[in-house]
Amino acid sequence: MPELPEVESVRRGLSAWLTGATITRAQVLDARILGTTSARNVPAERVVSFERALEGVRIVSVERRGKYMWMPLAGDGLRGDSVAGGSETAEVDEWALAMHLGMSGQARIHEAEDQLHPHTRAVFDVAGPAGVGQLRFVDQRIFGHLGVERLVPGVAGVGATGTAGERRLVAESASGAGLDPFEGGFSVPVVARAFARKNVAMKTALLDQRVVSGVGNIYADEALFEAGVHPAARASRLRISRIERVLEAARDVMARALEVGGTSFDALYVNVNGESGYFERSLQVYGREGQPCVRCSTPITRVVLGGRSTHVCVRCQKPQRLR
DNA sequence: AGAATAACCTGTCTGC
DNA sequence: TGCAGACAGGTTATTC
């Protein structure tokens, strides 16, 4: 559900509230939120070590790359949870609380006495410059994830600036993600050349978080429409300038979405205060199957590509624009 | 290498 | 009213 603009809206809300705050208590209500897609069975001791690792720790900042979010930690007595192998102690500033919203995750700021939403999976009592309250992780489908993770150097891949030694530190689960279009070192021409080496559909390339992170199903469709490129067009067959246009469109459409708080179809995507974003009304193709194209009035078509719903105007997005 | 599929979950909506 | 089936903004593993 949440893509880069939605995650960034959440990050900003969390940053304003949590920077410099201390976690006084951590409670996991559903252990599955600590698991991963492939490892759902979370032993009880991992829940305990996760909770203990966070108690008394200070949140230094709230960071994001693509859809991955994490909070670097500082404080005495932090111990890694079993993600990193258990009881070893480590330098405090090597750790972060990682958070991925998945399809239905929400990070919400509440007062302790507020009623608990039924899908609340974890609760963190916090006290800091902005006051005392609770950070609650609510996630209907439990595709989201929480973890205490090491900070490690991010990808050295396309678009990264500087040498390997200067790579930005990211939470371990985000270490495979490419730079997102809003990061300083992101380079459209460099990423476009990486796309051109891939013999895959343009939409598939956009959704591959290892190359460029942050683009999800909605903004992929929107960017391809804006650039006039068919989602199934092979990246390797397109002119570099066309690929660059898609990447610029992705950055532009996500920037515009961010300005209005992201895209919400329902109460599943909300910011830290439970408020919806307004970009749904600006969508040109996503979710508009059968409705007239905003440019040429041809009905929008829905096809399945890479297992994902894909919306296209077959007149504005011709498949054959080859090198 | 890349494509397709399933899996992880819960909920909503549609059609019969 | 009930029920089956499709579908949902993401990620990962497996199989062909």
Side-chain angles (χ1 to χ4, degrees), chain A residues 11 24 52 124 131 146 157 163 254 261 267 270 273 275 282 288 306 309:
Chain A
R11 190 205 65 79
T24 53
R52 268 212 305 255
F124 305 89
L146 295 175
T163 67
M254 291 196 295
V270 292
N273 300 313
E275 299 155 348
S282 302
R288 295 193 65 245
S309 263

PDB file of all heavy atoms in Angstrom, chain A residues 11 24 52 124 131 146 157 163 254 261 267 270 273 275 282 288 306 309:
ATOM      1  N   ARG A  11       7.297   9.269   7.774  1.00  0.00           N
ATOM      2  CA  ARG A  11       8.615   9.568   8.357  1.00  0.00           C
ATOM      3  C   ARG A  11       8.661  10.974   8.935  1.00  0.00           C
ATOM      4  O   ARG A  11       9.179  11.197  10.028  1.00  0.00           O
ATOM      5  CB  ARG A  11       9.718   9.425   7.307  1.00  0.00           C
ATOM      6  CG  ARG A  11      11.136   9.481   7.874  1.00  0.00           C
ATOM      7  CD  ARG A  11      12.167   9.932   6.848  1.00  0.00           C
ATOM      8  NE  ARG A  11      11.948  11.303   6.412  1.00  0.00           N
ATOM      9  CZ  ARG A  11      12.300  12.374   7.114  1.00  0.00           C
ATOM     10  NH1 ARG A  11      12.902  12.246   8.278  1.00  0.00           N
ATOM     11  NH2 ARG A  11      12.045  13.579   6.657  1.00  0.00           N
ATOM     12  N   THR A  24      10.514   4.171  26.605  1.00  0.00           N
ATOM     13  CA  THR A  24      10.492   3.729  28.007  1.00  0.00           C
ATOM     14  C   THR A  24       9.962   2.311  28.135  1.00  0.00           C
ATOM     15  O   THR A  24      10.226   1.624  29.109  1.00  0.00           O
ATOM     16  CB  THR A  24       9.641   4.679  28.861  1.00  0.00           C
ATOM     17  OG1 THR A  24       8.343   4.821  28.262  1.00  0.00           O
ATOM     18  CG2 THR A  24      10.302   6.049  28.933  1.00  0.00           C
ATOM     19  N   ARG A  52      13.386  -5.919  25.151  1.00  0.00           N
ATOM     20  CA  ARG A  52      14.440  -5.493  26.074  1.00  0.00           C
ATOM     21  C   ARG A  52      15.465  -4.604  25.394  1.00  0.00           C
ATOM     22  O   ARG A  52      16.005  -3.674  25.988  1.00  0.00           O
ATOM     23  CB  ARG A  52      15.133  -6.719  26.664  1.00  0.00           C
ATOM     24  CG  ARG A  52      14.524  -7.180  27.971  1.00  0.00           C
ATOM     25  CD  ARG A  52      15.590  -7.795  28.856  1.00  0.00           C
ATOM     26  NE  ARG A  52      16.290  -8.870  28.190  1.00  0.00           N
ATOM     27  CZ  ARG A  52      16.099 -10.159  28.459  1.00  0.00           C
ATOM     28  NH1 ARG A  52      15.254 -10.510  29.384  1.00  0.00           N
ATOM     29  NH2 ARG A  52      16.761 -11.078  27.818  1.00  0.00           N
ATOM     30  N   PHE A 124       4.961   1.255  21.597  1.00  0.00           N
ATOM     31  CA  PHE A 124       6.179   1.783  22.205  1.00  0.00           C
ATOM     32  C   PHE A 124       5.817   3.015  23.020  1.00  0.00           C
ATOM     33  O   PHE A 124       5.308   3.997  22.465  1.00  0.00           O
ATOM     34  CB  PHE A 124       7.191   2.176  21.125  1.00  0.00           C
ATOM     35  CG  PHE A 124       7.516   1.057  20.167  1.00  0.00           C
ATOM     36  CD1 PHE A 124       6.743   0.872  19.019  1.00  0.00           C
ATOM     37  CD2 PHE A 124       8.571   0.189  20.405  1.00  0.00           C
ATOM     38  CE1 PHE A 124       7.032  -0.167  18.133  1.00  0.00           C
ATOM     39  CE2 PHE A 124       8.861  -0.843  19.517  1.00  0.00           C
ATOM     40  CZ  PHE A 124       8.087  -1.021  18.385  1.00  0.00           C
ATOM     41  N   GLY A 131       6.952  15.524  24.100  1.00  0.00           N
ATOM     42  CA  GLY A 131       5.980  15.091  25.092  1.00  0.00           C
ATOM     43  C   GLY A 131       6.030  13.596  25.336  1.00  0.00           C
ATOM     44  O   GLY A 131       6.950  12.904  24.912  1.00  0.00           O
ATOM     45  N   LEU A 146       8.877  -5.186  11.772  1.00  0.00           N
ATOM     46  CA  LEU A 146       9.662  -4.423  12.743  1.00  0.00           C
ATOM     47  C   LEU A 146      10.874  -5.255  13.122  1.00  0.00           C
ATOM     48  O   LEU A 146      10.811  -6.489  13.146  1.00  0.00           O
ATOM     49  CB  LEU A 146       8.848  -4.136  14.008  1.00  0.00           C
ATOM     50  CG  LEU A 146       7.623  -3.233  13.904  1.00  0.00           C
ATOM     51  CD1 LEU A 146       6.894  -3.192  15.241  1.00  0.00           C
ATOM     52  CD2 LEU A 146       8.031  -1.834  13.472  1.00  0.00           C
ATOM     53  N   GLY A 157      25.629   0.623  -5.473  1.00  0.00           N
ATOM     54  CA  GLY A 157      25.187   0.476  -6.851  1.00  0.00           C
ATOM     55  C   GLY A 157      24.941   1.776  -7.589  1.00  0.00           C
ATOM     56  O   GLY A 157      25.458   2.828  -7.239  1.00  0.00           O
ATOM     57  N   THR A 163      32.824   7.122  -2.717  1.00  0.00           N
ATOM     58  CA  THR A 163      33.433   5.802  -2.741  1.00  0.00           C
ATOM     59  C   THR A 163      32.661   4.871  -1.830  1.00  0.00           C
ATOM     60  O   THR A 163      31.772   5.282  -1.108  1.00  0.00           O
ATOM     61  CB  THR A 163      34.882   5.883  -2.240  1.00  0.00           C
ATOM     62  OG1 THR A 163      34.845   6.237  -0.852  1.00  0.00           O
ATOM     63  CG2 THR A 163      35.660   6.927  -3.001  1.00  0.00           C
ATOM     64  N   MET A 254       5.797  11.401  -7.768  1.00  0.00           N
ATOM     65  CA  MET A 254       5.908  11.127  -6.328  1.00  0.00           C
ATOM     66  C   MET A 254       6.086  12.429  -5.541  1.00  0.00           C
ATOM     67  O   MET A 254       5.582  12.556  -4.424  1.00  0.00           O
ATOM     68  CB  MET A 254       7.048  10.144  -6.054  1.00  0.00           C
ATOM     69  CG  MET A 254       6.734   8.735  -6.577  1.00  0.00           C
ATOM     70  SD  MET A 254       7.794   7.438  -5.895  1.00  0.00           S
ATOM     71  CE  MET A 254       9.383   7.895  -6.557  1.00  0.00           C
ATOM     72  N   GLY A 261       0.251  14.835   0.752  1.00  0.00           N
ATOM     73  CA  GLY A 261       0.155  13.809   1.789  1.00  0.00           C
ATOM     74  C   GLY A 261       0.020  12.392   1.283  1.00  0.00           C
ATOM     75  O   GLY A 261      -0.341  11.491   2.037  1.00  0.00           O
ATOM     76  N   ALA A 267      -9.154   4.028   4.617  1.00  0.00           N
ATOM     77  CA  ALA A 267      -8.499   4.310   5.892  1.00  0.00           C
ATOM     78  C   ALA A 267      -7.250   3.467   6.109  1.00  0.00           C
ATOM     79  O   ALA A 267      -6.625   3.541   7.153  1.00  0.00           O
ATOM     80  CB  ALA A 267      -9.485   4.090   7.043  1.00  0.00           C
ATOM     81  N   VAL A 270      -2.869   6.027   6.150  1.00  0.00           N
ATOM     82  CA  VAL A 270      -3.026   7.294   6.867  1.00  0.00           C
ATOM     83  C   VAL A 270      -1.679   7.705   7.428  1.00  0.00           C
ATOM     84  O   VAL A 270      -0.766   6.905   7.537  1.00  0.00           O
ATOM     85  CB  VAL A 270      -4.050   7.175   8.025  1.00  0.00           C
ATOM     86  CG1 VAL A 270      -5.456   6.959   7.496  1.00  0.00           C
ATOM     87  CG2 VAL A 270      -3.649   6.060   8.976  1.00  0.00           C
ATOM     88  N   ASN A 273      -1.132  10.788  12.281  1.00  0.00           N
ATOM     89  CA  ASN A 273      -2.306  11.300  12.991  1.00  0.00           C
ATOM     90  C   ASN A 273      -3.610  10.691  12.485  1.00  0.00           C
ATOM     91  O   ASN A 273      -4.697  11.143  12.839  1.00  0.00           O
ATOM     92  CB  ASN A 273      -2.373  12.830  12.863  1.00  0.00           C
ATOM     93  CG  ASN A 273      -1.145  13.492  13.458  1.00  0.00           C
ATOM     94  OD1 ASN A 273      -0.734  13.148  14.561  1.00  0.00           O
ATOM     95  ND2 ASN A 273      -0.549  14.411  12.717  1.00  0.00           N
ATOM     96  N   GLU A 275      -4.661  10.709   9.346  1.00  0.00           N
ATOM     97  CA  GLU A 275      -5.263  11.484   8.263  1.00  0.00           C
ATOM     98  C   GLU A 275      -4.904  10.909   6.896  1.00  0.00           C
ATOM     99  O   GLU A 275      -3.785  10.435   6.691  1.00  0.00           O
ATOM    100  CB  GLU A 275      -4.777  12.943   8.341  1.00  0.00           C
ATOM    101  CG  GLU A 275      -5.168  13.625   9.629  1.00  0.00           C
ATOM    102  CD  GLU A 275      -4.230  14.780   9.997  1.00  0.00           C
ATOM    103  OE1 GLU A 275      -3.153  14.898   9.368  1.00  0.00           O
ATOM    104  OE2 GLU A 275      -4.557  15.526  10.924  1.00  0.00           O
ATOM    105  N   SER A 282      -5.810  12.916  -8.149  1.00  0.00           N
ATOM    106  CA  SER A 282      -4.897  13.324  -9.227  1.00  0.00           C
ATOM    107  C   SER A 282      -4.401  12.148 -10.061  1.00  0.00           C
ATOM    108  O   SER A 282      -3.652  12.345 -11.005  1.00  0.00           O
ATOM    109  CB  SER A 282      -3.684  14.045  -8.629  1.00  0.00           C
ATOM    110  OG  SER A 282      -4.107  15.161  -7.880  1.00  0.00           O
ATOM    111  N   ARG A 288      -8.378   3.336 -12.842  1.00  0.00           N
ATOM    112  CA  ARG A 288      -9.353   4.001 -13.718  1.00  0.00           C
ATOM    113  C   ARG A 288      -9.753   3.103 -14.894  1.00  0.00           C
ATOM    114  O   ARG A 288     -10.146   3.611 -15.953  1.00  0.00           O
ATOM    115  CB  ARG A 288      -8.786   5.326 -14.226  1.00  0.00           C
ATOM    116  CG  ARG A 288      -8.564   6.348 -13.094  1.00  0.00           C
ATOM    117  CD  ARG A 288      -8.311   7.753 -13.620  1.00  0.00           C
ATOM    118  NE  ARG A 288      -9.485   8.269 -14.311  1.00  0.00           N
ATOM    119  CZ  ARG A 288      -9.537   8.552 -15.610  1.00  0.00           C
ATOM    120  NH1 ARG A 288      -8.474   8.375 -16.375  1.00  0.00           N
ATOM    121  NH2 ARG A 288     -10.637   9.008 -16.153  1.00  0.00           N
ATOM    122  N   GLY A 306       3.557  -9.032 -14.397  1.00  0.00           N
ATOM    123  CA  GLY A 306       4.327  -9.396 -13.207  1.00  0.00           C
ATOM    124  C   GLY A 306       3.447  -9.651 -12.004  1.00  0.00           C
ATOM    125  O   GLY A 306       3.835  -9.384 -10.869  1.00  0.00           O
ATOM    126  N   SER A 309      -1.743  -5.642 -10.997  1.00  0.00           N
ATOM    127  CA  SER A 309      -2.677  -4.871 -11.808  1.00  0.00           C
ATOM    128  C   SER A 309      -1.942  -3.715 -12.472  1.00  0.00           C
ATOM    129  O   SER A 309      -1.215  -2.981 -11.808  1.00  0.00           O
ATOM    130  CB  SER A 309      -3.793  -4.296 -10.924  1.00  0.00           C
ATOM    131  OG  SER A 309      -4.914  -5.112 -10.960  1.00  0.00           O
TER     132      SER A 309
END
